[in-house]
Amino acid sequence: MTANSRCSAAEPPGLETQRREIESLLRECELRAGDSWYVVEHRWFEQWKEFVDGGDQNSSSFPGQIDNSDLFEDLDSYHLKERLVENEDFVLVPAEAWHKLLAWYGMVDSQPPLERKVVDLPSTLKVEVYPVEVFLCLHSNMENVITAQFSRTDNIQSIQRAMCQSFSVPSGSECRLWMKSSDTNCERLRNIHMSVLDTCLSSGMTVIMETRNADGTWPISLLNSVEDQDSYRGQPGVCGLTNLGNTCFMNSALQCLSNTPPLTEYFLQSSYLEELNFTNPLGMKGEIAEAYADVIKQMWSGRHYSVVPRVFKTKVGHFASQFLGYQQHDSQELLSFLLDGLHEDLNRVKNKEYIELRDADGRPDQEVAEEAWRNHRRRNDSVIVDTFHGLFKSTLVCPECHKVSVTFDPFCYLSIPLPVSKERVMEVFFVSLDPHAKPVQHRVVVPKAGKVSDLCLALSEMTAVPPTQMVVADVFNHRFYRIYSDDESLSCILDRDDIFVYELSVLEEQDQVLLALYLRERSHYRDYGSGSSSYGTTLFGHPLLLNVRRNEQQEAADELRPSQTELSCSETSTNSRSDDTATAAPPPDINHKQPSLDRGDTETCTESHNQTEPRCITDASSTPADNAIPSGDSTRSADANVDLEPAAEPSESTEEEKEENKQEEACSPSPPPNEQPAKRRACHKRRKSLFTIQAVNSNGTTERGTGEGGINESRFSAAQPYVAIDWDPDMKKRFYNENEAEKYVKHSSMEVPQQQATVQLQECIELFTTVETLEEENPWYCPVCKKHQLATKKLDLWSLPEVLIIHLKRFSYTKFTREKLDSIVEFPLSLSNGEPPSCYDLIAVSNHYGGLRDGHYTSYAMNKDNGQWYYFDDSKVTFATEDQIVTNAAYVLFYHRQDKMRKPTLANPSTGPAPSRSANDITSCKDDDAELGAASYVTMETD
């Protein structure tokens, strides 16, 4: 079967065989350049694993057809969403495993398989989930733009060939390519044999081809490139960095280092040339240091308002594969790599000697610390050590023998924790039993380490509904992705999940069943191509949860058949409320109560239930649609017994309806000869049902082995039954108002602004130096007990460097949760840890705006020459004031020791008007709102 096959799925082998075959392929397949792997939506794959692990062919977790819908931005272009995360949004499976899954389960119609190639990148093999997607055009016709995808291993010549073919450029024409990285900047692609990766060509950029004129000249409009900025003259160091595609994290870190005076002066004076270490096996042959020096010299030349750090980005990708490509990364991680890389490239120690470390053995701390620092400098001696390295004092105490071990360890930066709140704010939708109530969005405070029962308890205080009458579910793509039990941890629920809490009816019997109800729309035509005569269906609206008695549920399994589940329009609630609010599709009448019909002119067909034809009622199709607007979640019955209200009186049939009736009569089989004509007419008028009821699995697909309208009795007896109300498309269009169905109201808790937590930097430092017990995964070997112990550990700051870097650990990762802490850390512009030389002034801040999966990095920095603060947002640079710097976006802080700082050599420009330049140049700002910070005067551009 080919990857594009759309035929029906083959009968799969047993579940254990499926599991074993796929797991074996995932375990044994290695990445080989050129091989194909496939992208599969994570939730579908997890549901498949749950299905095969359950060991039951009729399990409710049957995943259905492979469905990658959630990976696409839209289902027209099938363009992959940006920043999808492996093993969170998708999984990668080798080609053989993909073909097996496709043969067993099939794929949702019209979806393309997401085939991706393995590429051989520097130092790593990688499945290229996101090929580089660029725009191509000719200089002579810039409006005719086409989109094309290329691998990062493709060379520029392959792009040139593709453009010549696409634009019918005559063979033999002399041409050259330009890469357009912004509205005004173009850069020549000189070496056509370089790879896409090495040129830093990224998605969203435009490649322009120009051909030589007949007179031998080239078009002149492209000469306004980044290579021609000699006429610009500005303040050295006040220079933006072009975003190459999700590289704001790199730009933020570079701006902070660029405004670190001792390091920048070291490179501007070319001192690094004498100290490049080309033989250090831990280094990068001096290439990182040279690339960094090139960027710094351009930024401080005063000739550029923005620099394109392509060569630097390429070098970083060569030596640190985690920074390959154009995914978003962490500015602190890049900073850590860069400081280490610069140190090894500039290490003055050519041959590192082996040094045996000695224990303190009761010696004075001062003596042990000096020995540790000497040993460190014997192996590590560079401008990075001179500027950024300090010493920790680490004290370990054995809990058994009380052995005390004191060591002094070097550090390059401090990673300090933020106080973590023990509470969590969650937003959920509450679905009441009140048939006229819309879902209500609530904001509740729950214990961060709590259980689902804690969520119900918190919601109970707002709704007055007992928590025992609540059930919590994750709704995804119109179905229940997961229904939680009370004792499950809240850490299983992510902030981005759509959580619904349903109120359940109180039943006296102990033997109860939770019934899940889906809404589906039938297609107009039977799906003969799938090998069955059933209708195709599509889920819509919000699903429901009902509490029913098990005996009634079993009766439903025995009695519900297609002939008895076809409800007429007149059997549904018109619910003509004055506010025209949407009402839910009524759940199935489990007890089969006779609908209340009190209108004298309503015709009924009083056939016995033994007959094969359904009970019939006169056509109510002329009822105004806004008087009967069932929705997916607004109306719930107090229990599973539903009294269906009478329909509106019939009216004259339209010509269209008469024509439909004629067609239906012509297509209908001949009635039994003994059937009375009047009865036939009455029954025929109700031939078209509003909806039917089907037993389905948790994925919302009809159980295998049951025909249209069939009920799988063993399925209904399961602990968690699922049914679907299948709407006739014409009836849905007439009676279902999708706009009303999607509406909800906000509880007053949503209007209360969340309190912004504020902590002092000193609190974070104290938390960093607090005594802690080692984790089981990282014990300490006690030399006295001769075994590993969970010792207590305390860190103290012994000696501080000239430039102190403080990393605020905003990103919290545990075994179960991942979150970003948005607390405001009040950090001073002048930091004192006692008498000089422990007094520091703030010189730069790396900021992160956004959450875990996306966001934007910027930076504040003080220019060493004029003492003015600036805000750097990629290529944009603006003036900043000191009261704008402290925000909840602060992520990495740079402090310079006061006794090492020099006074600015130029006047502070903020006292006078800023020069008027282009949109990318400096603009004067007067906004003093510290809460808004940079966002108040800079248009944020999320990567």
Side-chain angles (χ1 to χ4, degrees):
M1 177 179 289
T2 65
N4 293 313
S5 176
R6 288 287 176 268
C7 62
S8 59
E11 185 65 26
L15 300 186
E16 176 59 26
T17 302
Q18 291 185 43
R19 184 188 63 78
R20 187 172 61 251
E21 290 185 7
I22 299 300
E23 284 186 355
S24 175
L25 289 171
L26 291 176
R27 184 174 56 252
E28 296 174 3
C29 279
E30 298 180 355
L31 294 179
R32 292 192 299 264
D35 282 1
S36 291
W37 285 59
Y38 288 82
V39 179
V40 179
E41 202 271 326
H42 181 261
R43 292 202 187 202
W44 185 92
F45 192 73
E46 287 298 307
Q47 191 151 348
W48 171 81
K49 289 201 300 185
E50 181 182 341
F51 175 58
V52 296
D53 286 342
D56 180 5
Q57 199 77 26
N58 292 316
S59 169
S60 62
S61 59
F62 176 66
Q65 292 178 311
I66 299 173
D67 187 357
N68 288 331
S69 299
D70 197 46
L71 301 181
F72 301 113
E73 285 184 352
D74 59 75
L75 297 181
D76 294 326
S77 65
Y78 289 108
H79 193 275
L80 211 59
K81 289 179 180 176
E82 295 183 2
R83 303 186 196 96
L84 296 175
V85 179
E86 186 177 359
N87 295 325
E88 185 173 323
D89 299 304
F90 67 89
V91 294
L92 292 170
V93 298
E96 188 176 352
W98 163 259
H99 290 307
K100 286 180 180 291
L101 292 172
L102 185 65
W104 297 337
Y105 296 92
M107 193 172 185
V108 171
D109 287 346
S110 77
Q111 278 193 15
L114 296 175
E115 181 182 5
R116 294 295 186 264
K117 294 292 186 181
V118 178
V119 294
D120 190 0
L121 300 174
S123 72
T124 185
L125 285 168
K126 188 175 183 180
V127 178
E128 195 173 35
V129 176
Y130 288 97
V132 176
E133 186 174 83
V134 295
F135 304 109
L136 309 176
C137 65
L138 293 177
H139 173 254
S140 57
N141 185 4
M142 301 280 283
E143 295 183 356
N144 181 22
V145 179
I146 63 174
T147 304
Q149 289 187 343
F150 298 95
S151 169
R152 287 167 180 79
T153 57
D154 291 339
N155 58 27
I156 301 302
Q157 189 174 38
S158 64
I159 299 180
Q160 182 172 303
R161 289 198 197 100
M163 294 184 72
C164 289
Q165 182 177 354
S166 299
F167 296 114
S168 301
V169 176
S171 60
S173 298
E174 191 176 355
C175 56
R176 60 184 185 181
L177 302 183
W178 293 80
M179 175 171 56
K180 191 176 181 182
S181 56
S182 68
D183 291 339
T184 58
N185 294 341
C186 289
E187 187 175 345
R188 171 93 178 274
L189 294 172
R190 297 179 180 275
N191 188 349
I192 62 174
H193 300 294
M194 286 183 68
S195 68
V196 169
L197 175 69
D198 289 340
T199 58
C200 290
L201 182 63
S202 60
S203 293
M205 289 185 175
T206 301
V207 176
I208 305 170
M209 174 182 283
E210 60 169 350
T211 55
R212 188 185 288 275
N213 296 327
D215 60 0
T217 62
W218 294 95
I220 62 173
S221 61
L222 288 178
L223 294 182
N224 182 25
S225 69
V226 294
E227 302 170 351
D228 187 34
Q229 296 183 1
D230 292 337
S231 60
Y232 176 82
R233 288 295 180 269
Q235 171 65 45
V238 184
C239 176
L241 291 168
T242 300
N243 192 316
L244 304 174
N246 284 338
T247 58
C248 61
F249 72 96
M250 182 182 78
N251 294 346
S252 176
L254 285 175
Q255 291 288 8
C256 291
L257 281 181
S258 168
N259 286 280
T260 301
L263 184 63
T264 293
E265 290 170 359
Y266 171 85
F267 280 98
L268 292 180
Q269 295 167 6
S270 297
S271 302
Y272 71 97
L273 293 175
E274 299 176 0
E275 297 182 345
L276 285 171
N277 189 331
F278 300 105
T279 60
N280 186 354
L282 299 178
M284 299 160 199
K285 307 297 185 290
E287 293 184 32
I288 286 292
E290 290 180 323
Y292 179 77
D294 183 58
V295 172
I296 293 299
K297 288 183 176 181
Q298 289 186 66
M299 294 174 68
W300 287 85
S301 68
R303 296 200 302 264
H304 306 284
Y305 55 78
S306 183
V307 168
V308 184
R310 291 193 182 281
V311 175
F312 178 79
K313 168 70 171 63
T314 301
K315 296 299 181 183
V316 169
H318 272 303
F319 294 105
S321 61
Q322 67 268 31
F323 298 115
L324 276 171
Y326 300 91
Q327 298 299 302
Q328 182 63 278
H329 293 285
D330 189 301
S331 67
Q332 188 274 332
E333 290 180 2
L334 187 279
L335 184 66
S336 175
F337 160 77
L338 182 55
L339 290 174
D340 184 63
L342 290 175
H343 161 64
E344 296 296 355
D345 269 3
L346 300 168
N347 198 342
R348 303 174 186 117
V349 178
K350 307 303 180 183
N351 297 302
K352 296 187 178 184
E353 58 181 304
Y354 172 75
I355 299 174
E356 186 174 353
L357 300 179
R358 295 171 54 198
D359 195 87
D361 287 334
R363 291 182 293 158
D365 286 349
Q366 185 68 31
E367 177 185 339
V368 180
E370 290 175 355
E371 178 184 83
W373 185 248
R374 284 195 306 271
N375 289 339
H376 179 58
R377 294 302 295 255
R378 286 163 64 185
R379 293 174 55 86
N380 303 278
D381 184 12
S382 70
V383 65
I384 302 301
V385 176
D386 298 340
T387 308
F388 299 101
H389 283 206
L391 274 183
F392 286 137
K393 175 186 176 182
S394 176
T395 305
L396 290 165
V397 180
C398 177
E400 190 170 315
C401 70
H402 305 291
K403 158 72 176 176
V404 177
S405 173
V406 176
T407 58
F408 290 84
D409 305 304
F411 69 88
C412 188
Y413 53 85
L414 302 181
S415 285
I416 62 176
L418 274 61
V420 179
S421 172
K422 295 182 179 180
E423 294 181 332
R424 173 185 178 186
V425 176
M426 297 183 67
E427 293 181 3
V428 300
F429 294 91
F430 178 70
V431 184
S432 169
L433 283 174
D434 182 353
H436 301 295
K438 290 184 174 69
V440 182
Q441 188 181 27
H442 291 260
R443 183 178 288 156
V444 295
V445 180
V446 296
K448 184 170 292 186
K451 298 183 180 299
V452 171
S453 57
D454 295 309
L455 170 60
C456 296
L457 186 63
L459 193 59
S460 175
E461 296 177 1
M462 294 184 176
T463 61
V465 174
T468 54
Q469 288 178 235
M470 295 180 181
V471 63
V472 180
D474 179 357
V475 176
F476 175 73
N477 272 356
H478 314 293
R479 59 173 68 93
F480 292 116
Y481 175 66
R482 187 168 180 179
I483 299 175
Y484 296 97
S485 59
D486 288 344
D487 59 350
E488 288 190 78
S489 173
L490 287 175
S491 61
C492 299
I493 301 177
L494 304 180
D495 289 337
R496 69 173 185 268
D497 293 341
D498 291 326
I499 301 300
F500 284 74
V501 181
Y502 295 85
E503 180 184 1
L504 300 179
S505 57
V506 179
L507 302 178
E508 296 179 359
E509 288 81 356
Q510 295 295 320
D511 198 9
Q512 304 172 10
V513 173
L514 194 63
L515 181 68
L517 189 68
Y518 290 160
L519 299 177
R520 303 193 302 185
E521 179 181 1
R522 297 189 312 188
S523 63
H524 279 279
Y525 306 102
R526 293 183 183 272
D527 188 12
Y528 294 106
S530 66
S532 70
S533 61
S534 62
Y535 285 96
T537 57
T538 304
L539 286 167
F540 69 92
H542 290 300
L544 296 175
L545 284 173
L546 304 171
N547 218 13
V548 298
R549 301 175 180 89
R550 183 176 294 277
N551 60 343
E552 292 175 347
Q553 173 242 335
Q554 188 58 48
E555 290 174 8
D558 296 334
E559 297 181 20
L560 283 178
R561 291 292 183 267
S563 61
Q564 293 184 356
T565 57
E566 294 183 357
L567 306 184
S568 68
C569 299
S570 61
E571 289 178 291
T572 64
S573 170
T574 58
N575 205 345
S576 53
R577 303 195 306 276
S578 60
D579 60 356
D580 287 343
T581 303
T583 63
D589 182 3
I590 302 297
N591 281 349
H592 291 265
K593 288 188 177 181
Q594 181 72 16
S596 173
L597 300 173
D598 54 1
R599 299 185 184 271
D601 56 352
T602 301
E603 301 176 17
T604 62
C605 177
T606 57
E607 278 192 53
S608 165
H609 282 209
N610 295 328
Q611 299 296 328
T612 57
E613 288 294 317
R615 226 171 352 101
C616 299
I617 304 174
T618 55
D619 194 347
S621 61
S622 59
T623 304
D626 57 358
N627 282 343
I629 318 174
S631 78
D633 54 14
S634 321
T635 298
R636 316 256 321 283
S637 169
D639 55 25
N641 305 322
V642 181
D643 288 326
L644 301 174
E645 298 180 12
E649 295 185 27
S651 60
E652 293 292 330
S653 298
T654 64
E655 291 299 324
E656 183 182 1
E657 290 169 340
K658 289 178 180 178
E659 183 61 29
E660 288 181 3
N661 290 340
K662 289 179 182 179
Q663 294 177 4
E664 289 181 5
E665 187 172 351
C667 297
S668 301
S670 301
N674 59 347
E675 185 173 338
Q676 297 178 9
K679 181 186 295 185
R680 288 201 304 273
R681 284 195 299 275
C683 291
H684 173 70
K685 292 173 74 174
R686 291 306 317 129
R687 178 80 61 178
K688 198 165 190 177
S689 63
L690 185 64
F691 55 73
T692 60
I693 298 175
Q694 299 275 359
V696 294
N697 56 34
S698 62
N699 206 41
T701 55
T702 306
E703 285 289 341
R704 291 172 295 172
T706 64
E708 180 191 350
I711 301 296
N712 186 322
E713 298 182 14
S714 63
R715 176 71 192 85
F716 252 60
S717 62
Q720 176 58 70
Y722 294 79
V723 297
I725 289 183
D726 289 351
W727 284 71
D728 175 84
D730 294 329
M731 295 296 101
K732 175 178 177 287
K733 183 177 180 181
R734 185 177 300 173
F735 293 103
Y736 185 88
N737 188 321
E738 294 194 30
N739 291 332
E740 288 291 334
E742 294 296 326
K743 289 183 177 179
Y744 62 91
V745 296
K746 290 189 175 183
H747 186 262
S748 58
S749 60
M750 296 295 297
E751 307 301 327
V752 179
Q754 298 188 53
Q755 293 293 328
Q756 181 71 60
T758 302
V759 296
Q760 300 297 319
L761 179 63
Q762 188 60 36
E763 294 179 53
C764 301
I765 295 176
E766 290 173 358
L767 187 61
F768 176 72
T769 57
T770 300
V771 176
E772 63 176 354
T773 302
L774 296 179
E775 298 177 347
E776 292 184 1
E777 296 83 4
N778 188 30
W780 170 66
Y781 184 80
C782 176
V784 176
C785 299
K786 304 297 183 184
K787 62 180 180 180
H788 287 91
Q789 299 280 16
L790 299 182
T792 59
K793 180 179 180 179
K794 187 179 189 307
L795 285 178
D796 291 293
L797 302 177
W798 180 262
S799 63
L800 299 177
E802 177 179 349
V803 176
L804 176 63
I805 301 177
I806 300 178
H807 165 224
L808 304 177
K809 297 175 69 174
R810 291 196 176 277
F811 299 99
S812 173
Y813 300 95
T814 68
K815 188 181 298 183
F816 305 104
T817 61
R818 301 196 313 165
E819 64 177 330
K820 183 194 174 186
L821 306 176
D822 285 319
S823 306
I824 293 179
V825 178
E826 295 279 1
F827 52 91
L829 299 185
S830 292
L831 177 65
S832 177
N833 190 28
E835 296 299 321
S838 298
C839 298
Y840 289 84
D841 283 344
L842 187 72
I843 58 171
V845 180
S846 174
N847 303 306
H848 178 266
Y849 300 89
L852 281 172
R853 295 164 57 86
D854 55 13
H856 185 60
Y857 286 91
T858 66
S859 54
Y860 288 105
M862 183 176 67
N863 186 276
K864 67 182 179 65
D865 292 337
N866 62 18
Q868 167 67 39
W869 280 93
Y870 294 93
Y871 181 73
F872 298 91
D873 181 7
D874 289 333
S875 59
K876 303 182 186 67
V877 185
T878 55
F879 285 133
T881 55
E882 291 182 348
D883 56 359
Q884 294 171 331
I885 296 171
V886 179
T887 70
N888 66 340
Y891 184 44
V892 184
L893 313 175
F894 284 67
Y895 283 94
H896 195 183
R897 212 167 75 193
Q898 291 176 354
D899 63 333
K900 293 288 187 178
M901 296 182 71
R902 69 176 188 182
K903 292 183 179 181
T905 57
L906 301 176
N908 189 314
S910 63
T911 56
S916 175
R917 302 177 195 158
S918 67
N920 286 335
D921 292 317
I922 300 171
T923 56
S924 179
C925 298
K926 300 297 183 183
D927 196 325
D928 294 330
D929 190 342
E931 286 292 321
L932 294 177
S936 62
Y937 61 92
V938 175
T939 301
M940 301 303 300
E941 293 181 343
T942 302
D943 283 343

